[in-house]
Amino acid sequence: VMVGTGKAAENGIIIKNAASLQIATEIDKIIFDKTGTLTKGKPKLTDVVSYIGSEDDLLMLAASLEKSSGHVLSDAMVGAAKEKGVSLKELQQFETISGKGVVGKIEGSEILAGNRRLMQETPIDIGIAEGDLDRLEKQGKTITLVAKDGKFIGLVAVRDTLKEFSKTIIDKLKKMGKDVIMMTGDNKRTAEAIAKEIGIEKVLAEVLPKDKLDEIKKL
């Protein structure tokens, strides 16, 4: 036990006590979060699809709203807006809706940016985007849907890059006989596309942050 905890510490792994090390031998399921764990957590903007007006106007609204969210997706949108020379607007109001998106006011208009669940609960009709959603999600891209004053106006897609060693780690764990699972708040199709790339068959998608512990308890 002393040698084991010592070697672990050399590799940056802190083991609380001998009992924890003993319990670790009984672990049969390994649950990974996606963003920042299996992926680098530095997504890049890949697509802007506007159904009314210009793509730059849509990106301006999405990035202006997302810049206050602190979410990893916001950096991709804000960075892309700067690269394109798109000026961001000041927010009059802002609120985060955990696991779903953000809402705020820009120049007197209410802007929503988030996932399908946010649009369904509002409710806002996104039927016009189904073809684009299917195509982009199958490419493993994360979609932010944008609405203005209760009307769906477009979507923004970003794609994160897998860490170089993610597939190797998954393969090793599977050879050890471990049940490997990916859990994420991302859309099911997007999550499954990423999981397929690294050889994970079991995916728990669209899990809200507050529900992740419950999912682990179920397992």
Side-chain angles (χ1 to χ4, degrees), residues 16-126:
K16 190 175 179 180
N17 51 38
S20 299
L21 192 60
Q22 181 63 39
I23 290 167
T25 67
E26 300 166 16
I27 290 171
D28 58 0
K29 290 178 174 61
I30 312 290
I31 302 100
F32 286 97
D33 190 40
K34 179 178 73 69
T35 304
T37 305
L38 295 172
T39 67
K40 292 180 179 178
K42 295 180 179 177
K44 298 288 184 185
L45 184 81
T46 59
D47 303 82
V48 179
V49 182
S50 176
Y51 301 105
I52 60 163
S54 74
E55 291 182 353
D56 281 356
D57 286 345
L58 178 65
L59 180 59
M60 177 274 291
L61 291 172
S64 296
L65 192 56
E66 289 284 355
K67 71 179 179 180
S68 297
S69 72
H71 195 279
V72 67
L73 299 181
S74 66
D75 292 339
M77 293 185 205
V78 173
K82 285 180 180 176
E83 283 177 22
K84 287 172 172 279
V86 175
S87 299
L88 302 187
K89 303 285 187 181
E90 290 299 316
L91 295 177
Q92 283 92 50
Q93 206 173 304
F94 178 80
E95 181 187 353
T96 298
I97 303 164
S98 182
K100 298 172 188 175
V102 290
V103 58
K105 279 203 169 181
I106 298 174
E107 296 181 335
S109 292
E110 184 179 73
I111 311 298
L112 269 78
N115 56 24
R116 287 173 182 262
R117 191 176 294 188
L118 179 63
M119 297 296 151
Q120 287 164 357
E121 291 178 2
T122 302
I124 290 170
D125 182 12
I126 60 167

Side-chain angles (χ1 to χ4, degrees), residues 133-146:
L133 285 168
D134 182 60
R135 172 178 59 85
L136 296 169
E137 287 168 352
K138 283 178 178 174
Q139 293 170 9
K141 294 174 180 177
T142 299
I143 313 296
T144 298
L145 302 158
V146 185

